[in-house]
Amino acid sequence: MSEERYKKGMEMLKIMNPKSYKQLADNLEDIAPDMARFVAEFPYGDIYTRPALDLKTRELVTVAAITTLGTAPLQLKSHIKGALNVGCTREEIIEVLMQMAVYAGFPAALNGIYVAKEVFEELDNEK
Amino acid sequence: MSEERYKKGMEMLKIMNPKSYKQLADNLEDIAPDMARFVAEFPYGDIYTRPALDLKTRELVTVAAITTLGTAPLQLKSHIKGALNVGCTREEIIEVLMQMAVYAGFPAALNGIYVAKEVFEELDNEK
Amino acid sequence: MSEERYKKGMEMLKIMNPKSYKQLADNLEDIAPDMARFVAEFPYGDIYTRPALDLKTRELVTVAAITTLGTAPLQLKSHIKGALNVGCTREEIIEVLMQMAVYAGFPAALNGIYVAKEVFEELDNEK
Amino acid sequence: MSEERYKKGMEMLKIMNPKSYKQLADNLEDIAPDMARFVAEFPYGDIYTRPALDLKTRELVTVAAITTLGTAPLQLKSHIKGALNVGCTREEIIEVLMQMAVYAGFPAALNGIYVAKEVFEELDNEK
Amino acid sequence: MSEERYKKGMEMLKIMNPKSYKQLADNLEDIAPDMARFVAEFPYGDIYTRPALDLKTRELVTVAAITTLGTAPLQLKSHIKGALNVGCTREEIIEVLMQMAVYAGFPAALNGIYVAKEVFEELDNEK
Amino acid sequence: MSEERYKKGMEMLKIMNPKSYKQLADNLEDIAPDMARFVAEFPYGDIYTRPALDLKTRELVTVAAITTLGTAPLQLKSHIKGALNVGCTREEIIEVLMQMAVYAGFPAALNGIYVAKEVFEELDNEK
């Protein structure tokens, strides 16, 4: 275990998406606790902390990637929230999702937009 | 045919990536000329012209999407060039490609980086 | 906006799948209304109106493509309905889905068949 | 129909996963009964009966493949059960799923682990 | 081995694509001869011989599926030839490939068209 | 940077596939040297060193995953070599590749077998 990377990752997660990570760590607790640690260490500790890209761009390219995969609505949801948390607007997120129609096809883009709709409605209801 | 969208798309392509589009249109000329027109009209005329995202972000999310697909090195090459044409730095592009290791796996990220290496070397040799 | 393509697309949709499009447009109304317009204009206005393929073949190749993607059960459902609307038989649709086992793997084919089963049961219950 | 392959497949299924196959055959009965026969004949009759790999390894590579696809949670569930049925431990299955983060990305690995969690909880509740 | 299915498959292959199968069988001869047999038996012996779809439609949905995968240019090439062998026109094949832009994205469609271009040029040169 | 994980990863790579890693690190040297370090640290330092699975099984599930992706022939090549390096037989590797026909489709399995053929021929020629 590398204490320092884990700490850096957890600090990054505090800025980006503490709730989603908490949920993920709770889900993995009994079955694969090391996996939760790897998520903190590698994506958040190693990658998101690098200075070459700002966090808004990092979240938007992640939204693009997961929408293209089309297989991970849960993670798309959590990164749409992450994008909002670091300052992206709803309009920017929708725009990225729409652009995916060109590269990943209309079904992928539409399903991404439906996930965003769900996130936005949840956030509006929390208010 | 919608003359206006085509014209808007071709203007956008002049800014973003005139060489790659020329090559695509030449390739399609005998076999599917309407497809070249659709490329100008829909991605470039309809999508890239929308004001909600700047062109740098649009190209970076496209690089993310095509790297995630993993099936389109030719188009990745042309969008890495497009990203440079609209002002992204090489470092930013590499950073997006590295981040893809998290979402699309290490092979996808590595293959994306190899495509970028090829593009950068071509550009260095043109000088 | 290109009025004419939109109109052509909406006419095509009236033949192919008016209910699914209505649902899609309603879903997108608040969040991405332009996306609904793009769906009418590009796939339906530009592509499905082309004379080179009959609508039955167009729907069957779409069923094949979406089954292969494996990520879009909602859109598969709507295109299975579309295939029936333009005159494909249930047997033809099932046959396409079974053939997908060869190219996209058995899980993709089985999941496609389960979606078809759902559609056929819904239609039988509507009677 | 090739009676012998079907019989060999059904015997293999008795060892590996009789419940999942029963469920699949029931689901397909009205809509695509030949598909159920193909599943018995080709994967189970032709492939799993070959001596070059033991059944534990066969199930683990299948778990890896379906996790990588990311589109078939139902089939992943049934093969995680199959892996347990032929003698894999829960720890081995989780380990394969975690390793998929490297090749198919973290979302694919996490979603695979969530499916395993569901399977293990079901089995614990059956006791 | 099921002699009858193999024979039926080889007869089907004689109609559809004897050259491509010969090449495949030669490639597999030293390394995986059973795989060549499986290709004759399952796709060609079991699936393509079923009466529910004509061979033209079977080849067009296969072209759609392989274009959507985007990972198998060799097999796409051989099925484009197969489509022509059973009576599809070049225009119909191109039309299917263009339609894939909607479902699998523009890069997948463009790469499919480039493969078709290669096939058509080879055939023109053989004359 | 976490010195210890890197060292553990490099030791693992010495056992599994020193040549392929050397090639990868050389390729990345000018363009993304941190990526080479991440490859040593995360897959090899963090994952492959875990005791829950032996290295033979780890390489076979990786071969299954990359064959399923279908987008990474370079990495498939290097993991087929890795599998041989840790004691898998050629027959076992071919068997995994053939099994992929069931889950990822025949084209993915065939393309995997062609990559293996290339690797085996290279190794035979080196003798």
Side-chain angles (χ1 to χ4, degrees):
Chain A
M1 174 151 176
S2 49
E3 203 61 58
E4 200 196 313
R5 288 165 67 240
Y6 182 74
K7 258 167 62 184
K8 270 170 60 184
M10 291 306 291
E11 274 160 41
M12 188 49 86
L13 274 156
K14 230 178 280 177
I15 299 165
M16 298 184 78
N17 213 345
K19 271 197 213 170
S20 295
Y21 183 74
K22 174 83 173 63
Q23 197 175 28
L24 175 149
D26 288 351
N27 277 333
L28 297 176
E29 200 172 38
D30 299 329
I31 198 171
D34 291 351
M35 189 67 186
R37 180 168 59 76
F38 288 143
V39 169
E41 285 178 6
F42 179 58
Y44 292 95
D46 284 345
I47 300 288
Y48 283 96
T49 52
R50 295 169 62 88
L53 279 180
D54 61 280
L55 291 180
K56 281 184 56 175
T57 306
R58 287 207 183 272
E59 281 292 17
L60 293 179
V61 297
T62 293
V63 164
I66 304 182
T67 304
T68 300
L69 290 174
T71 50
L74 203 69
Q75 286 82 7
L76 182 54
K77 226 172 144 171
S78 113
H79 281 282
I80 289 172
K81 286 179 193 165
L84 294 169
N85 290 342
V86 298
C88 299
T89 64
R90 291 184 181 195
E91 195 192 7
E92 285 171 325
I93 293 164
I94 291 296
E95 200 65 30
V96 168
L97 295 169
M98 283 177 61
Q99 189 173 321
M100 291 305 103
V102 179
Y103 303 102
F106 276 78
L110 287 167
N111 288 331
I113 294 170
Y114 296 152
V115 171
K117 190 180 160 89
E118 221 180 292
V119 173
F120 297 168
E121 285 173 356
E122 276 181 40
L123 295 174
D124 289 341
N125 290 337
E126 281 177 20
K127 283 176 196 167
Chain B
M1 176 152 174
S2 49
E3 204 61 56
E4 200 195 314
R5 289 165 66 239
Y6 182 74
K7 257 166 65 185
K8 271 170 61 184
M10 290 307 291
E11 273 159 41
M12 188 48 87
L13 274 157
K14 229 180 279 176
I15 300 166
M16 298 185 79
N17 213 345
K19 272 196 212 170
S20 295
Y21 183 73
K22 173 81 173 63
Q23 197 174 30
L24 175 148
D26 287 350
N27 277 333
L28 297 176
E29 200 172 38
D30 298 329
I31 199 170
D34 292 351
M35 189 67 186
R37 180 167 58 78
F38 288 143
V39 170
E41 286 177 3
F42 179 58
Y44 293 96
D46 284 344
I47 300 288
Y48 283 97
T49 50
R50 294 167 63 86
L53 280 179
D54 60 279
L55 290 181
K56 281 184 56 176
T57 305
R58 288 209 183 268
E59 280 293 18
L60 292 179
V61 297
T62 293
V63 164
I66 304 182
T67 303
T68 299
L69 290 174
T71 49
L74 203 69
Q75 286 81 6
L76 183 53
K77 228 172 143 170
S78 113
H79 281 282
I80 289 173
K81 287 180 193 164
L84 294 169
N85 290 342
V86 298
C88 298
T89 64
R90 291 185 181 194
E91 196 190 7
E92 286 170 324
I93 293 164
I94 291 296
E95 202 64 31
V96 168
L97 295 169
M98 284 178 60
Q99 187 172 324
M100 292 305 103
V102 179
Y103 302 102
F106 276 77
L110 287 167
N111 288 331
I113 294 171
Y114 296 154
V115 170
K117 190 181 160 90
E118 222 178 292
V119 173
F120 297 168
E121 285 173 356
E122 274 180 42
L123 294 175
D124 290 341
N125 289 337
E126 280 176 21
K127 284 177 194 166
Chain C
M1 176 150 178
S2 48
E3 203 61 57
E4 199 195 313
R5 290 164 66 238
Y6 182 74
K7 258 166 64 185
K8 272 170 61 184
M10 292 306 291
E11 273 159 42
M12 188 48 86
L13 273 158
K14 229 179 280 177
I15 300 165
M16 298 184 77
N17 214 344
K19 271 197 211 169
S20 295
Y21 184 73
K22 173 82 174 64
Q23 196 174 29
L24 175 148
D26 287 350
N27 277 333
L28 297 176
E29 199 173 36
D30 299 328
I31 199 171
D34 291 351
M35 190 66 186
R37 180 168 57 78
F38 288 143
V39 170
E41 287 177 4
F42 180 58
Y44 293 95
D46 284 345
I47 299 288
Y48 283 96
T49 51
R50 296 168 62 87
L53 280 179
D54 61 280
L55 290 180
K56 281 184 56 174
T57 306
R58 287 208 184 270
E59 280 293 17
L60 292 179
V61 296
T62 293
V63 164
I66 304 182
T67 303
T68 300
L69 289 174
T71 49
L74 203 69
Q75 285 82 7
L76 182 54
K77 228 172 144 171
S78 113
H79 281 283
I80 289 172
K81 287 179 192 164
L84 294 169
N85 290 342
V86 298
C88 299
T89 65
R90 291 185 181 194
E91 195 192 6
E92 285 171 325
I93 294 165
I94 291 296
E95 201 64 32
V96 169
L97 295 170
M98 284 178 60
Q99 188 172 321
M100 291 305 103
V102 179
Y103 302 102
F106 276 77
L110 287 167
N111 289 330
I113 294 170
Y114 296 154
V115 170
K117 191 182 159 88
E118 223 179 291
V119 173
F120 297 168
E121 286 174 355
E122 275 180 41
L123 294 174
D124 289 341
N125 289 336
E126 281 176 21
K127 284 178 195 166
Chain D
M1 176 151 175
S2 49
E3 203 60 59
E4 200 195 313
R5 290 164 65 238
Y6 182 74
K7 257 167 65 183
K8 271 170 61 183
M10 291 308 290
E11 274 160 41
M12 187 48 85
L13 274 157
K14 230 179 278 177
I15 300 165
M16 298 185 77
N17 213 345
K19 271 196 213 171
S20 295
Y21 183 73
K22 174 81 173 66
Q23 197 174 29
L24 175 148
D26 288 350
N27 277 332
L28 297 176
E29 201 172 36
D30 299 328
I31 199 170
D34 291 350
M35 188 68 186
R37 181 167 57 77
F38 288 143
V39 170
E41 286 177 4
F42 179 59
Y44 293 95
D46 284 344
I47 300 288
Y48 283 96
T49 51
R50 294 168 63 87
L53 280 179
D54 61 279
L55 290 181
K56 281 184 55 174
T57 305
R58 287 207 184 271
E59 280 293 19
L60 292 179
V61 297
T62 293
V63 164
I66 304 182
T67 304
T68 299
L69 290 175
T71 50
L74 203 70
Q75 286 82 5
L76 182 54
K77 226 172 145 172
S78 116
H79 281 282
I80 289 172
K81 287 179 193 165
L84 295 168
N85 290 343
V86 297
C88 299
T89 65
R90 291 185 181 194
E91 195 192 6
E92 286 171 325
I93 293 164
I94 291 296
E95 201 64 30
V96 169
L97 295 169
M98 283 178 61
Q99 187 172 322
M100 291 305 104
V102 179
Y103 302 103
F106 277 77
L110 287 167
N111 288 331
I113 294 170
Y114 296 153
V115 170
K117 190 181 160 89
E118 221 179 292
V119 173
F120 298 168
E121 286 173 356
E122 274 180 42
L123 294 174
D124 290 342
N125 289 337
E126 282 176 20
K127 284 178 195 166
Chain E
M1 174 151 175
S2 48
E3 203 61 57
E4 200 196 313
R5 289 165 66 240
Y6 182 74
K7 256 167 64 184
K8 270 171 60 186
M10 291 307 291
E11 274 159 41
M12 188 48 87
L13 273 157
K14 229 179 280 175
I15 300 165
M16 298 186 77
N17 213 345
K19 272 197 212 169
S20 294
Y21 183 73
K22 173 83 173 65
Q23 196 175 30
L24 175 148
D26 288 350
N27 277 333
L28 296 176
E29 199 172 38
D30 299 328
I31 200 171
D34 291 352
M35 189 67 187
R37 181 168 56 78
F38 288 144
V39 170
E41 287 177 4
F42 180 58
Y44 293 95
D46 284 344
I47 300 288
Y48 283 97
T49 51
R50 296 168 62 86
L53 280 179
D54 61 279
L55 291 181
K56 280 184 58 175
T57 306
R58 287 209 184 269
E59 281 293 17
L60 292 180
V61 296
T62 293
V63 165
I66 304 183
T67 303
T68 299
L69 290 173
T71 50
L74 203 68
Q75 286 81 8
L76 182 54
K77 227 171 144 170
S78 112
H79 280 282
I80 288 172
K81 286 179 194 165
L84 294 169
N85 290 343
V86 298
C88 299
T89 64
R90 291 185 181 194
E91 195 191 7
E92 285 170 324
I93 294 165
I94 291 296
E95 201 64 31
V96 169
L97 295 169
M98 283 177 60
Q99 188 172 321
M100 292 305 104
V102 179
Y103 303 102
F106 277 77
L110 287 168
N111 288 330
I113 294 171
Y114 296 154
V115 170
K117 190 182 160 88
E118 223 179 292
V119 173
F120 297 168
E121 285 173 355
E122 275 180 40
L123 295 174
D124 289 341
N125 289 336
E126 280 175 20
K127 283 178 194 167
Chain F
M1 173 148 176
S2 49
E3 203 61 57
E4 200 195 314
R5 289 165 68 240
Y6 182 74
K7 258 166 65 183
K8 271 170 60 185
M10 291 307 291
E11 275 160 39
M12 188 48 86
L13 273 158
K14 229 179 279 177
I15 300 166
M16 298 184 77
N17 213 345
K19 270 196 213 171
S20 294
Y21 183 73
K22 173 82 173 63
Q23 197 174 30
L24 175 148
D26 287 351
N27 277 333
L28 296 177
E29 200 172 38
D30 299 328
I31 198 170
D34 292 351
M35 189 67 186
R37 180 167 58 78
F38 287 143
V39 170
E41 286 177 4
F42 179 59
Y44 293 96
D46 284 344
I47 300 288
Y48 283 97
T49 51
R50 296 168 63 87
L53 280 179
D54 61 279
L55 291 181
K56 280 184 57 175
T57 305
R58 287 207 184 271
E59 281 292 18
L60 292 179
V61 296
T62 293
V63 164
I66 304 183
T67 303
T68 300
L69 289 175
T71 50
L74 203 70
Q75 286 81 7
L76 182 54
K77 226 171 144 172
S78 113
H79 280 282
I80 289 173
K81 287 179 192 165
L84 294 169
N85 290 343
V86 298
C88 298
T89 64
R90 290 184 182 194
E91 195 191 7
E92 286 170 325
I93 293 164
I94 291 296
E95 201 64 30
V96 169
L97 294 170
M98 283 178 61
Q99 188 172 322
M100 291 306 103
V102 179
Y103 303 102
F106 277 77
L110 287 167
N111 288 330
I113 294 170
Y114 296 154
V115 170
K117 190 180 159 89
E118 221 180 292
V119 173
F120 298 168
E121 286 173 355
E122 276 181 39
L123 294 174
D124 289 342
N125 290 336
E126 280 177 20
K127 282 177 194 166

